[in-house]
Amino acid sequence: MDRHYEDYKKIIDEHLLDFIPNIDNKSISLYESMKYSLSAGGKRIRPVLLLATCDFCGGSIEEALPYACALEYIHNINWNWLNALPGLSRTVELMERIGNPQKKLKFIHIAGTNGKGSVSAMLYSVLNAAGVRAGLFTSPYLVKFNERMSALGHDISDSELASVVEAVRPAADSMEDRATEFELITACAFEYFVRKGCDTVVLECGMGGRLD
């Protein structure tokens, strides 16, 4: 379990009603609360993340916590952006540290300035319809972070995302030149695709154009 688990749970237990006023409404949109945040121990914590995918009246905080902690880690990874150099050195190192999952996959790499997301989605749909065990890695997401990685026709589940982040995190934390947020997400996606037994992954470039 994430070492911040108890800190998150305490904050939610004490302050949940301050952030979700219509607690009896099962259809409440928890994303409405994304603008709020709490400060605890010098860390900015968005309590809505703890329930971002749970209907409060039907799910539990304990079930939501691993996913919320995973998102909090991804979005607050501490990398040296002032001195970070472009290139693949950090990605290569991170992949080696987690066993090079990318070498167990085949890729259709979508690059270009415009239209990458649409082409990727269409190719992924075609592969699924043809019975190929396909994966999709794309950005940004429209509604929920999980949309960024999909396999066999379904977005990664909250529990799966929490699991792959937990697996990749020790390797990322041990790097002297820390991986960027996008590099970390890429590593998590490759680990996820291997776990799902994907044959082919439709991989959208992160930046597009010649800079990729």
Side-chain angles (χ1 to χ4, degrees):
M1 182 59 65
D2 189 280
R3 62 180 178 270
H4 300 304
Y5 179 95
E6 291 301 327
D7 292 336
Y8 281 100
K9 188 176 187 304
K10 181 179 179 181
I11 291 169
I12 288 301
D13 287 344
E14 293 178 354
H15 300 283
L16 180 62
L17 289 175
D18 295 336
F19 291 89
I20 307 179
N22 301 318
I23 203 67
D24 292 326
N25 183 357
K26 287 189 177 184
S27 62
I28 183 173
S29 172
L30 297 178
Y31 290 103
E32 297 278 321
S33 304
M34 187 62 80
K35 61 185 176 181
Y36 297 113
S37 63
L38 286 173
S39 181
K43 294 180 179 295
R44 299 296 290 177
I45 297 175
R46 292 182 293 278
V48 70
L49 288 177
L50 299 179
L51 297 169
T53 62
C54 288
D55 175 29
F56 180 78
C57 297
S60 70
I61 292 175
E62 285 75 12
E63 292 171 343
L65 270 170
Y67 172 71
C69 292
L71 288 183
E72 197 73 17
Y73 175 70
I74 288 171
H75 295 316
N76 290 281
I77 189 167
N78 183 25
W79 61 284
N80 188 3
W81 62 273
L82 284 175
N83 297 317
L85 297 176
L88 295 174
S89 60
R90 290 181 301 274
T91 301
V92 170
E93 179 181 351
L94 181 54
M95 294 304 171
E96 289 178 346
R97 288 175 179 266
I98 63 173
N100 284 314
Q102 79 282 3
K103 294 185 177 181
K104 303 172 185 176
L105 303 164
K106 292 180 292 185
F107 296 92
I108 300 176
H109 201 190
I110 309 299
T113 303
N114 295 309
K116 297 186 300 299
S118 298
V119 171
S120 297
M122 287 186 284
L123 276 175
Y124 178 55
S125 179
V126 169
L127 291 171
N128 280 319
V132 176
R133 297 185 64 86
L136 172 67
F137 182 59
T138 187
S139 62
Y141 62 94
L142 299 178
V143 177
K144 185 178 178 182
F145 180 87
N146 304 44
E147 298 167 22
R148 296 193 63 168
M149 51 193 85
S150 176
L152 314 183
H154 301 283
D155 293 341
I156 187 172
S157 69
D158 297 350
S159 60
E160 288 172 325
L161 181 64
S163 179
V164 294
V165 171
E166 183 179 1
V168 173
R169 182 172 182 170
D173 286 346
S174 66
M175 293 172 59
E176 183 175 349
D177 185 7
R178 299 293 294 275
T180 67
E181 178 176 329
F182 185 81
E183 291 164 349
L184 173 68
I185 296 170
T186 301
C188 289
F190 289 170
E191 174 66 20
Y192 168 64
F193 295 139
V194 169
R195 292 186 181 192
K196 299 298 286 188
C198 292
D199 296 321
T200 302
V201 173
V202 180
L203 186 74
E204 178 189 349
C205 283
M207 295 176 65
R210 66 182 181 83
L211 294 180
D212 268 308

